[in-house]
Amino acid sequence: MAEKDLLYNYSLHLADNSMILGQRCGEWCGHGPVLEQDIALTNIALDLIGEARSLYQLAAELKGGNANEDTVAFLRDVMAYKNVLLVEQPNYDWAYTIVRQFFYDVFHFYLHSELINSTEPRLSNIAAKSLKEVTYHLKWSSEWMIRLGDGTDISREKMQDAVNGLWEYTGELFMPSAIEQQAFEAGFAPDLNILKPLWQEKVEDILAESTLFIPENNYQQKGGKTGVHSEHMGYILADMQYLQRAYPGANW
Amino acid sequence: MEINLEEAFQKRIDDEIKIEPRDWMPEKYRKTLLRQISQHAHSEIVGMLPEGNWITRAPNLRRKVALLAKVQDEAGHGLYLYSAAETLGMSRDEMLNELHTGKAKYSSIFNYPTLTWADMGAIGWLVDGAAIMNQVPLCRASYGPYARAMVRVCKEESFHQRQGYEIMLTLCQGTPEQKAMAQDALNRWWWPSMMMFGPNDDNSPNSAQSTKWKIKRFSNDELRQKFVDVSVPQAEILGITIPDPDLKWNEARGHYDFGVINWDEFNQVVAGNGPCNKQRLKARVDAWEKGAWVREAAVAYAEKREKRNSNKENSNAA
């Protein structure tokens, strides 16, 4: 794959994760358990979509022609989306939302901690800006893991249920797609093998403090990175892309 | 003694000195303000729902981010306003309980549905526009915490209003379908926006006292007229038609004349029979009830931590 195509595809890996998680977080807006946390989660949605925009702009520039951030985000169908299965999982409840966020934040934090050293300056710049935000996201979700894990019996049960439900989607974060592998070999993407033990250690620490356990069943799902998504994904895109699809070429 | 206190209170108001939470105030002043500020706070929170409805479907990334930020601002306004209302002696949880049980009201405008993307434009342009007309004078309201909260609210509202108008402008300069969408939104939002100023002056029993207390500075009809006068040229620039056949410039008055408001509809929506009253309230109650375990756990954790810390201190001291 030519370097330009590789960078385009790798940017989509990064962008689609943040875009889809941002979309999920945005669904909470107006429905949070308490006003302050409604605001906090909307902030995270704004950061994630902001990061996705920078990456889609880069992707559009690489694609050339009439491409822009919106054509890249709104005119690709499910199989062309490269986000991991974890981020497309539904909100279900606040426990699922926090656990999903936490698993992703730990990954996102270590990923960007490495990506700031990318040989590709456009990626390292985006990572540097995003890392500040992600550091806050991780602090926020870690605190909620602990607060709810070590809160009441009910909250612990709900959190453990969410950990059990989402654990099978964490492995995919570290299974490199062909594009991620080539991007690593080309020098502009981090080695996912290095990130994995860092992620594992941080997750184990916070889970211990939260009085929560890693489930025994360690079978891991995969597919999102190569476009084989869960059934949820079609609905996410149906909402997200509705106006662009219904009124092709219109300006908004 | 009571009379003197009340006279001194009125004199402070007449002298434009702000009333602060620890100052003496007539019970009715406190109650009036508490009702008004908490209603305003509830309106911000319920008002997040009709626009929140379009966050996942915003037509492009720029609009999505702007809409998220806008709805988030409304949550922030709710926070400032609940805080201001709390200074009058009621907790946020108590106020929310009044909202959830239907005892407290919120602005009826939020009981109308958002059907198309153009509604995001019309709400910003008209609903936020009407809100600004109502709210700018409140920045000078006699109660200090309310006035200060409103200064922050108004700054952000005027930004929202421009953003909404810009959505309308983009639609009106777009395809015929988009322009039709904008016209349809104007058709649906115009009259409910006109109703946001409340009943006609001769039918607004509490206005005189609120004016005397400088909570209210302009009458409902004065503000409504101002809204019409500002909105008509804006609609002309957009090239869409305000749905009022009686609307015309009155040279002698120096204002636009406009048609009669359907007060029956207004009263029905206030009474709970608007198209979305039940859904809006249900959404708020659901969020509150589904969040109960989260709030309880947060309290339980904070207590545990405090206990652990004090145990640690005790054992250190020993």
Side-chain angles (χ1 to χ4, degrees):
Chain A
M1 196 180 281
E3 176 139 336
K4 198 170 136 182
D5 288 342
L6 185 59
L7 183 55
Y8 169 81
N9 281 296
Y10 183 66
S11 302
L12 293 184
H13 269 282
L14 301 172
D16 290 348
N17 278 335
S18 290
M19 182 68 231
I20 299 303
L21 187 56
Q23 182 83 357
R24 281 295 192 212
C25 292
E27 290 173 20
W28 269 104
C29 189
H31 305 275
V34 67
L35 208 40
E36 286 82 350
Q37 301 312 323
D38 203 303
I39 292 173
L41 195 55
T42 305
N43 252 337
I44 292 173
L46 282 165
D47 288 343
L48 290 169
I49 298 171
E51 184 202 334
R53 287 183 73 184
S54 303
L55 289 159
Y56 285 140
Q57 284 160 14
L58 168 59
E61 188 188 312
L62 293 163
K63 194 163 190 221
N66 292 327
N68 60 46
E69 58 174 11
D70 294 318
T71 62
V72 178
F74 291 85
L75 301 180
R76 277 179 301 137
D77 206 348
V78 171
M79 54 284 197
Y81 259 77
K82 300 182 192 304
N83 58 281
V84 291
L85 298 172
L86 176 68
V87 296
E88 69 199 47
Q89 297 309 304
N91 292 342
Y92 294 123
D93 66 3
W94 189 252
Y96 264 86
T97 303
I98 293 295
V99 174
R100 183 186 62 202
Q101 192 67 38
F102 171 68
F103 286 158
Y104 186 72
D105 289 344
V106 180
F107 169 75
H108 204 187
F109 174 79
Y110 288 118
L111 177 77
H112 281 345
S113 300
E114 290 292 319
L115 199 61
I116 53 174
N117 302 317
S118 170
T119 55
E120 167 51 54
R122 287 170 291 187
L123 286 183
S124 63
N125 285 341
I126 292 170
K129 180 176 179 289
S130 175
L131 184 57
K132 288 180 205 147
E133 298 164 351
V134 177
T135 304
Y136 164 77
H137 303 171
L138 178 56
K139 181 172 182 288
W140 181 85
S141 62
S142 299
E143 286 171 2
W144 274 105
M145 288 294 292
I146 297 166
R147 196 176 284 135
L148 296 177
D150 192 17
T152 61
D153 290 347
I154 293 172
S155 71
R156 179 182 295 123
E157 194 184 315
K158 285 181 185 286
M159 291 297 280
Q160 188 62 57
D161 187 48
V163 169
N164 295 350
L166 291 168
W167 185 254
E168 66 180 346
Y169 300 112
T170 57
E172 190 190 7
L173 291 165
F174 307 101
M175 296 176 201
S177 69
I179 288 158
E180 285 174 312
Q181 186 59 34
Q182 286 176 51
F184 162 60
E185 284 161 11
F188 55 78
D191 181 358
L192 294 178
N193 289 318
I194 290 178
L195 303 185
K196 190 171 182 185
L198 297 170
W199 183 91
Q200 187 80 22
E201 194 187 339
K202 177 75 176 171
V203 166
E204 283 174 8
D205 278 357
I206 297 291
L207 285 179
E209 208 178 335
S210 313
T211 72
L212 297 169
F213 301 95
I214 292 172
E216 277 173 26
N217 184 352
N218 197 34
Y219 185 79
Q220 294 296 324
Q221 304 290 340
K222 63 175 192 292
K225 288 181 178 184
T226 52
V228 185
H229 290 277
S230 63
E231 288 180 349
H232 308 298
M233 192 63 188
Y235 292 95
I236 294 177
L237 294 186
D239 266 3
M240 194 174 115
Q241 300 181 341
Y242 144 62
L243 283 166
Q244 292 274 349
R245 301 292 191 182
Y247 300 92
N251 234 328
W252 300 93
Chain B
M1 195 63 197
E2 185 82 351
I3 301 291
N4 288 342
L5 278 172
E6 198 141 358
E7 277 173 9
F9 173 82
Q10 188 61 49
K11 183 165 186 324
R12 289 190 65 172
I13 289 192
D14 294 341
D15 292 346
E16 299 284 343
I17 299 170
K18 292 274 179 274
I19 306 300
E20 296 299 334
R22 283 157 174 254
D23 295 339
W24 183 89
M25 62 186 81
E27 187 55 17
K28 192 154 175 272
Y29 176 84
R30 192 185 67 79
K31 279 195 171 148
T32 301
L33 271 170
L34 184 56
R35 195 190 64 225
Q36 181 170 334
I37 302 172
S38 63
Q39 269 184 20
H40 190 166
H42 297 328
S43 301
E44 297 284 354
I45 301 311
V46 177
M48 294 170 74
L49 299 169
E51 290 175 289
N53 184 34
W54 279 87
I55 287 171
T56 60
R57 293 178 292 168
N60 62 35
L61 294 173
R62 182 173 74 92
R63 294 291 186 201
K64 187 187 290 288
V65 167
L67 184 61
L68 264 167
K70 184 191 170 183
V71 181
Q72 187 190 38
D73 282 348
E74 285 158 10
H77 298 171
L79 269 188
Y80 317 152
L81 289 161
Y82 283 126
S83 301
E86 281 186 317
T87 65
L88 293 160
M90 190 185 270
S91 71
R92 198 204 301 180
D93 283 6
E94 287 174 281
M95 288 184 254
L96 288 174
N97 186 52
E98 292 199 337
L99 173 68
H100 298 154
T101 54
K103 195 178 165 212
K105 301 279 181 208
Y106 54 86
S107 180
S108 280
I109 193 79
F110 302 118
N111 291 318
Y112 290 86
T114 52
L115 303 180
T116 72
W117 172 252
D119 291 17
M120 299 303 100
I123 288 179
W125 172 37
L126 299 172
V127 175
D128 292 331
I132 290 166
M133 299 274 169
N134 273 325
Q135 291 171 4
V136 166
L138 292 172
C139 298
R140 295 188 289 127
S142 58
Y143 189 58
Y146 191 26
R148 288 188 287 273
M150 290 315 300
V151 171
R152 298 176 65 178
V153 170
C154 284
K155 270 187 200 153
E156 292 174 351
E157 289 292 358
S158 65
F159 178 72
H160 297 163
Q161 203 259 348
R162 283 200 298 276
Q163 202 169 276
Y165 189 73
E166 202 254 322
I167 290 176
M168 293 301 274
L169 202 54
T170 307
L171 292 173
C172 290
Q173 291 167 348
T175 64
E177 289 91 344
Q178 285 176 302
K179 191 164 183 184
M181 203 187 269
Q183 178 67 60
D184 168 70
L186 173 58
N187 293 348
R188 284 181 291 107
W189 290 95
W190 174 255
W191 288 108
S193 300
M194 292 283 279
M195 294 174 195
M196 284 177 70
F197 298 94
N200 288 129
D201 292 348
D202 51 15
N203 199 17
S204 180
N206 299 321
S207 288
Q209 182 63 74
S210 285
T211 304
K212 193 174 168 220
W213 278 334
K214 298 197 177 173
I215 299 171
K216 205 175 168 73
R217 302 252 175 190
F218 299 98
S219 80
N220 296 353
D221 286 330
E222 280 172 328
L223 291 168
R224 189 165 15 242
Q225 181 68 61
K226 200 172 161 198
F227 173 72
V228 174
D229 291 347
V230 167
S231 300
V232 172
Q234 291 174 340
E236 280 166 7
I237 291 171
L238 294 175
I240 49 181
T241 310
I242 290 175
D244 179 357
D246 298 322
L247 192 71
K248 67 167 191 293
W249 178 249
N250 182 326
E251 193 65 52
R253 288 204 309 125
H255 290 291
Y256 284 93
D257 290 338
F258 51 89
V260 180
I261 288 172
N262 181 350
W263 292 113
D264 182 51
E265 176 183 325
F266 175 79
N267 291 328
Q268 287 295 341
V269 181
V270 171
N273 295 323
C276 297
N277 292 60
K278 290 181 188 71
Q279 293 91 320
R280 299 293 185 235
L281 199 56
K282 186 177 183 318
R284 287 313 315 157
V285 171
D286 280 355
W288 186 250
E289 287 177 353
K290 284 179 186 158
W293 70 271
V294 177
R295 296 189 302 275
E296 281 158 19
V299 171
Y301 176 74
E303 282 169 359
K304 272 188 209 177
R305 203 171 57 168
E306 196 167 320
K307 206 169 157 191
R308 279 175 209 153
N309 286 344
S310 70
N311 284 347
K312 214 183 284 171
E313 274 168 29
N314 288 343
S315 66
N316 285 348

